[in-house]
Amino acid sequence: MNFDPRFSGRKFASVGTRPIRPDGVDKVTGRARYGADFNMAGQLVGRVLRSPHAHAIIRKIDTSKAEKLNGVKAVITAADLPDLTDGDAGMYDILDNCMARTKALYDGHAVAAVAAVDARTARQALKLIEVDYEVLPHVTDVDEAMKHTAPVLNDAVFTEGLEQKPVKPSNVAKRTQYGHGDVHQGFAQADFLVERSFKTEQTHQGYIEPHACVASVSSDGTADLWVCTQGHFVYRQHCAQLLGLEASKLRVTSSEIGGGFGGKTHVWAEPVALALSRKAGRPVKLVMTRDEVFRASGPTSATSIDVKIGARKDGTITAAEATLRYTSGPYAGMWAELGAMTAFACYKLDNVKTVGFEVLVNRPKTAAYRAPSAPMAAFAVESAVDELAKEIGIDPVDFRIRNAAQEGTRASYGPVYGPIGIGPTLEAAKHHPHMKAPLQVNQGRGMACGFWFNFGGQTCTDLNIGMDGTVSLAVGTVDVGGSRASLSLVAAEELGIDYSHVKAIVADTSSLGYNDMTDGSRGTFSSSMATISAARNAIKILRDRAAQMWDIPVDDVVWENGQALARGEKYGNLSPLSLKEIAAQSGKTGGPIAGHSELVADGAGVSFATHICDIEVDPETGATRVLRYTVIQDAGKAVHPTYVEGQYQGGAAQGIGWALNEEYIYGKDGRLQNAGFLDYRIPVCSDLPMIDTQILEIPNPNHPYGVRGVGETSIVPPLAAIANAVSNAAGVRMTHIPMSPPRILAAIDAERG
Amino acid sequence: MAGVAVSTTINGDSVEYLCQPDETLLDVLRDRLGLTGAKEGCGTGDCGACSIILDDRLVCSCLVLGAEAEGRRVETVEGMAHGEKLHPLQQKFLEHAALQCGICTPGFLIAAKDLLAKNPDPTEEEIRFGLAGNLCRCTGYDKIVRAVQDAANVMKGA
């Protein structure tokens, strides 16, 4: 990579301003096209038949009656998606999740699908498919699933990560361990110990747009897929592999995406739609219902976590330990591992140990949800930290400041930190007016910290300069919340032109090289790096063209403020050439001017946040109200501060819902009881106060502008911050998320005896 | 099943269509008339993404049958701007970045338009309760409330 990504400390003209986003007008006028807003001529309607059982052997599927129904053009089962995964266990799980092969593993697991001329015919056809199930015992609770008496979901799963391979299969797919030092010795040095067990329930990302796609497969092996996704290149790879297509012949176009938060990083409906289209010979549109989204897409893990932390009288933590058990649905995952890595990442610890267990249960396959796995671990750890501070008699903010990780600290998950923001966010919290605001009776204040790694990844960007001097920027990271605005700002900054002369789009998979998906808070971080690199490559060409126009050596041409300057007194009579002037002559000086960049965006700076909140608890009903909420987070450099604030506020709101309301409720029959927004209640406008934000900028040394990812960390502290606030308000330690009114009442009653 | 012939007014234009008796107005708008501004987030009236105004009343179009629009006035997000001139709510949503993914935005704009028509000078609490039938998962509502407050001020002055 001929590109220097180091932070340069430059002054900015465009970056840090707050212009209107380029895709804005289409989104306020209804013109923007999301997953379900696209249609193709002759398209059929696809629908999926789903298992009503949590765990069942599929003995036989009879589709003959459905196939005979007038208007039905294709019916598929797992037989129409043969196993082409060639020993790739992860891909096999994806295939099995798209369409159950031998067993239905959760309520909502797809077992067959139809394509018909209209929705009504498709629905009728589903009713005509006869599935012969042998219902098996099921398990949905994480702790129950770990017991040796629990029904085993998969006989081929033997716990990985143990010194000896177990003799029996179990629902524990993997054990992982992180840490350093000697926790036994550390605990022996402690004057105070807190040891607690916590539980969190499963939640859903709750994006408002259900999964939707239109698939069209031709008999010559080419195919098109229009889909709402966080990563169309990854979808292309997965779909091509599962369908036996050549990746280059499957063109995937990402629609506008109506929210993802990690939930649109995995294929579910897309391979099914492609298989239906292949069989029917016509395009197929497949849109999930909300019920299907809850039952059969990828919620987060339910967890059970034990935490033990010891400290000396002076407030120094001597040792910290956690055991984290995370559900991964019916397939192996790495969710507990992420929890184990992040749990103590905020702190400077000599002795730390975390152990994670990935637990299979009869629930949908777990998917990422914004800083996946970190909020639950932070809930447990930050609750215990608060309790320990209280026992020692130290202010919880001072206690955290005393133990906060710093530059040079070895993180509990291994690496040594560079410049980081945990200390500054805590100092900002300590001095924030929110901390000193008075509280009334039944009100409590809580605070907590959070960490997320952030990710860089493979990134590819094209920057094309038109003959009128305006710039088209084609990126491959799906824009989930305003990144086209921030990337346009970066292109404008680097070229030295006005933001209004840049238009950013998200290119399809046939128009740009491979890009990893928009996850790990990488959209703006990685694509801005690639945009800077592409712009610098374009500037090299612009300088060369100016040199030609002036007939001077290119080494004597510099690029400043959007124009070429001839350097040296001998060129005193040469007026600068603007980008526009050079572009206008491009046909005569060598053709189109463009800059490309393909890179791996290494060095995503880790991210920290501190949140403060005030909660009122009604001791009679257990009802809660969020009175005030403040987010303080390090952005490295806020490219478009308004959208950075939006990320902080949105993550906090999701965390508030998770902390107080949201949970998957399973019946004894293993069926999801609340698969709709009425019963799975996400926060509404009247539930929340304004969410105040404070952006700190501790530059990431590995990015030219100092940018860090900002999308995910904001969901990490809220569970704990709110639990600490509720605990302070109600006078009882809350250990089970969500803190719904019945749980709060039960805790208050138990405390009163 | 025989179709139902419907004559209605959508965003000021006379429109005629045939629909099935069990077809929702949302499906008619999106699938028959190509007005995809209203979105289906749930199909059960819980998310408000399909909000429209039917004879001056804010409704979820997923809970209205296409046949029920006969002889009535329908307003959708597509009718808010006049040519290139955006409605003050649309303009303020852009200026305040009151949208991230934008899927809920048409519903919020329609609900806010209805709110301000009935209460031109709402308090923050009235805005929050007035928009409580619309779900947004991205913004935490902060910037939406501010955009509506700002638009209300502009519209009062107009």
Side-chain angles (χ1 to χ4, degrees):
Chain A
M1 181 169 64
N2 181 24
F3 169 65
D4 181 1
R6 281 174 299 177
F7 176 64
S8 70
R10 64 188 282 167
K11 285 206 165 65
F12 295 109
S14 293
V15 164
T17 62
R18 302 170 182 245
I20 286 174
R21 63 198 283 171
D23 52 319
V25 171
D26 280 357
K27 286 184 171 165
V28 298
T29 54
R31 275 201 292 270
R33 289 196 302 176
Y34 293 81
D37 298 338
F38 179 77
N39 297 294
M40 288 180 81
Q43 107 194 344
L44 302 169
V45 175
R47 300 277 300 181
V48 176
L49 183 69
R50 300 187 178 279
S51 167
H53 305 295
H55 196 193
I57 294 169
I58 301 168
R59 285 201 196 109
K60 189 178 168 223
I61 303 179
D62 183 351
T63 59
S64 57
K65 286 181 190 156
E67 282 161 15
K68 287 185 194 119
L69 183 67
N70 190 30
V72 172
K73 301 297 179 185
V75 183
I76 64 162
T77 64
D80 296 282
L81 282 163
D83 179 10
L84 305 174
T85 59
D86 198 23
D88 182 334
M91 282 308 293
Y92 183 83
D93 287 350
I94 292 171
L95 175 68
D96 190 59
N97 193 40
C98 285
M99 192 65 76
R101 306 188 79 74
T102 55
K103 284 210 294 186
L105 292 164
Y106 56 93
D107 164 37
H109 198 167
V111 296
V114 303
V117 291
D118 56 33
R120 184 195 292 125
T121 309
R123 281 196 298 269
Q124 281 176 336
L126 290 189
K127 288 181 186 161
L128 295 174
I129 297 173
E130 294 168 3
V131 186
D132 181 11
Y133 292 105
E134 179 186 334
V135 178
L136 300 172
H138 67 273
V139 61
T140 55
D141 180 79
V142 60
D143 292 321
E144 291 295 321
M146 289 182 75
K147 291 179 180 168
H148 68 273
T149 51
V152 173
L153 271 69
N154 187 337
D155 289 335
V157 170
F158 294 81
T159 310
E160 280 182 49
L162 302 181
E163 281 176 18
Q164 284 188 319
K165 186 183 170 178
V167 290
K168 281 185 179 174
S170 88
N171 292 327
V172 181
K174 194 176 178 188
R175 178 192 186 275
T176 50
Q177 184 176 325
Y178 287 87
H180 53 251
D182 182 336
V183 288
H184 294 292
Q185 226 169 51
F187 285 127
Q189 294 162 10
D191 299 312
F192 295 92
L193 271 179
V194 163
E195 202 169 355
R196 281 266 186 202
S197 295
F198 300 88
K199 281 198 101 158
T200 69
E201 296 300 330
Q202 186 166 37
T203 56
H204 194 275
Q205 299 85 352
Y207 32 81
I208 309 301
E209 181 199 32
H211 300 265
C213 66
V214 181
S216 180
V217 182
S218 295
S219 53
D220 63 0
T222 61
D224 281 283
L225 180 68
W226 162 275
V227 60
C228 59
T229 171
Q230 290 174 243
H232 45 318
F233 292 92
V234 174
Y235 274 35
R236 177 182 67 172
Q237 276 191 324
H238 288 181
C239 288
Q241 189 176 351
L242 295 182
L243 272 291
L245 298 165
E246 288 178 30
S248 60
K249 291 183 180 168
L250 171 58
R251 181 184 191 179
V252 183
T253 305
S254 63
S255 70
E256 292 294 342
I257 178 171
F261 316 110
K264 288 176 183 165
T265 56
H266 303 255
V267 293
W268 284 285
E270 298 76 14
V272 174
L274 285 161
L276 283 169
S277 173
R278 179 166 62 185
K279 197 162 183 180
R282 284 168 64 172
V284 172
K285 183 173 186 172
L286 209 165
V287 181
M288 276 196 189
T289 63
R290 178 56 54 182
D291 174 271
E292 288 178 291
V293 172
F294 275 113
R295 287 169 65 209
S297 62
T300 187
S301 304
T303 74
S304 160
I305 303 172
D306 304 329
V307 175
K308 184 178 177 184
I309 310 177
R312 283 197 294 266
K313 276 182 263 185
D314 67 357
T316 308
I317 296 177
T318 57
E321 186 174 11
T323 304
L324 307 100
R325 309 163 198 93
Y326 281 49
T327 64
S328 59
Y331 307 102
M334 57 171 298
W335 309 110
E337 182 167 8
L338 290 173
M341 292 171 81
T342 58
F344 293 108
C346 291
Y347 299 106
K348 183 181 175 185
L349 300 169
D350 292 334
N351 305 296
V352 57
K353 178 184 172 188
T354 55
V355 176
F357 294 102
E358 316 291 345
V359 186
L360 307 194
V361 292
N362 295 111
R363 295 175 180 239
K365 186 176 194 286
T366 296
Y369 179 14
R370 202 170 198 157
S373 302
M376 307 81 132
F379 160 60
V381 167
E382 291 292 289
S383 294
V385 164
D386 234 49
E387 198 171 356
L388 189 53
K390 208 168 256 180
E391 290 210 4
I392 303 170
I394 303 184
D395 175 81
V397 182
D398 291 333
F399 183 49
R400 287 174 172 88
I401 290 172
R402 185 176 184 92
N403 292 288
Q406 301 160 352
E407 185 170 359
T409 296
R410 186 176 171 199
S412 56
Y413 64 96
V416 174
Y417 288 131
I420 55 172
I422 179 65
T425 65
L426 279 163
E427 292 289 347
K430 183 177 165 133
H431 297 103
H432 197 285
H434 185 165
M435 273 301 191
K436 295 168 193 76
L439 291 167
Q440 311 294 322
V441 64
N442 293 328
Q443 297 179 351
R445 177 164 299 140
M447 53 80 57
C449 300
F451 158 87
W452 186 243
F453 308 95
N454 291 341
F455 177 59
Q458 297 184 66
T459 313
C460 179
T461 294
D462 277 359
L463 186 151
N464 290 289
I465 298 174
M467 282 193 282
D468 64 353
T470 63
V471 172
S472 310
L473 180 66
V475 302
T477 46
V478 170
D479 180 352
V480 294
S483 61
R484 274 166 291 190
S486 56
L487 297 173
S488 298
L489 282 169
V490 167
E493 184 72 53
E494 199 63 31
L495 293 170
I497 60 174
D498 192 77
Y499 168 81
S500 64
H501 295 146
V502 182
K503 172 76 175 178
I505 61 137
V506 179
D508 67 59
T509 58
S510 295
S511 308
L512 196 64
Y514 176 83
N515 280 261
D516 285 327
M517 58 178 73
T518 302
D519 63 0
S521 300
R522 78 176 211 97
T524 293
F525 167 76
S526 64
S527 274
S528 68
M529 197 183 276
T531 299
I532 292 167
S533 166
R536 289 181 184 174
N537 289 334
I539 287 169
K540 278 182 210 153
I541 297 170
L542 287 162
R543 285 174 49 230
D544 179 64
R545 301 299 177 84
Q548 283 187 50
M549 289 164 74
W550 280 325
D551 197 19
I552 66 172
V554 68
D555 287 345
D556 289 349
V557 180
V558 293
W559 190 261
E560 276 177 16
N561 301 320
Q563 53 190 9
L565 305 176
R567 187 167 48 190
E569 281 181 17
K570 58 187 169 179
Y571 303 126
N573 58 342
L574 292 178
S575 302
L577 282 168
S578 70
L579 184 147
K580 191 173 177 176
E581 288 166 324
I582 299 168
Q585 297 300 314
S586 60
K588 296 173 195 156
T589 56
I593 301 172
H596 307 284
S597 173
E598 299 85 25
L599 51 78
V600 177
D602 288 328
V606 294
S607 170
F608 292 91
T610 297
H611 290 199
I612 315 163
C613 73
D614 297 350
I615 304 278
E616 183 166 292
V617 176
D618 181 340
E620 301 301 316
T621 64
T624 49
R625 178 145 193 86
V626 185
L627 304 168
R628 183 170 179 177
Y629 205 99
T630 302
V631 177
I632 303 160
Q633 186 178 319
D634 173 22
K637 174 66 196 173
V639 177
H640 190 306
T642 312
Y643 284 103
V644 173
E645 291 164 5
Q647 290 298 319
Y648 292 6
Q649 292 165 333
Q654 286 185 316
I656 290 168
W658 194 341
L660 295 174
N661 275 318
E662 298 176 31
E663 67 177 303
Y664 268 43
I665 298 169
Y666 278 93
K668 287 201 174 106
D669 56 3
R671 291 178 188 168
L672 184 60
Q673 305 290 299
N674 59 335
F677 278 136
L678 187 63
D679 300 314
Y680 182 98
R681 193 175 178 284
I682 71 172
V684 302
C685 201
S686 53
D687 292 331
L688 299 178
M690 293 296 187
I691 296 169
D692 297 329
T693 57
Q694 188 176 344
I695 299 172
L696 304 186
E697 295 185 330
I698 294 116
N700 174 7
N702 307 312
H703 185 283
Y705 297 175
V707 170
R708 296 173 195 264
V710 299
E712 292 168 290
T713 310
S714 52
I715 202 174
V716 183
L719 279 60
I722 294 165
N724 289 335
V726 171
S727 301
N728 290 334
V732 51
R733 174 54 53 183
M734 298 302 300
T735 58
H736 195 162
I737 293 276
M739 295 170 286
S740 54
R743 285 208 184 100
I744 290 177
L745 266 191
I748 292 172
D749 288 347
E751 184 77 3
R752 286 174 183 161
Chain B
M1 231 185 289
V4 181
V6 177
S7 296
T8 187
T9 303
I10 301 179
N11 299 325
D13 297 331
S14 297
V15 176
E16 296 187 349
Y17 56 81
L18 276 177
C19 69
Q20 294 296 320
D22 62 352
E23 202 171 331
T24 66
L25 180 54
L26 175 62
D27 284 343
V28 169
L29 290 171
R30 291 179 53 81
D31 298 339
R32 293 189 186 272
L33 305 178
L35 293 169
T36 55
K39 309 298 180 191
E40 179 164 319
C42 65
T44 49
D46 298 317
C47 79
C50 65
S51 296
I52 59 158
I53 297 172
L54 186 64
D55 283 352
D56 302 319
R57 188 178 163 204
L58 179 69
V59 297
C60 289
S61 59
C62 73
L63 298 182
V64 179
L65 291 172
E68 290 181 275
E70 171 66 32
R72 300 172 80 174
R73 279 180 296 112
V74 176
E75 287 177 62
T76 72
V77 71
E78 286 91 345
M80 280 183 75
H82 292 285
E84 284 198 328
K85 176 119 181 87
L86 296 178
H87 187 282
L89 278 163
Q90 293 172 312
Q91 186 62 36
K92 292 303 172 188
F93 266 58
L94 290 180
E95 290 173 10
H96 286 267
L99 54 141
Q100 285 175 31
C101 83
I103 192 90
C104 70
T105 307
F108 266 97
L109 288 167
I110 286 289
K113 182 170 185 275
D114 179 72
L115 172 71
L116 295 185
K118 287 162 183 160
N119 181 359
D121 191 18
T123 64
E124 182 191 333
E125 190 174 18
E126 286 167 340
I127 292 172
R128 288 189 177 278
F129 279 87
L131 300 179
N134 293 73
L135 300 180
C136 169
R137 192 58 155 170
C138 293
T139 65
Y141 305 103
D142 183 300
K143 294 184 189 302
I144 292 176
V145 173
R146 292 178 199 275
V148 174
Q149 286 173 324
D150 200 1
N153 287 333
V154 168
M155 289 165 72
K156 272 188 296 181

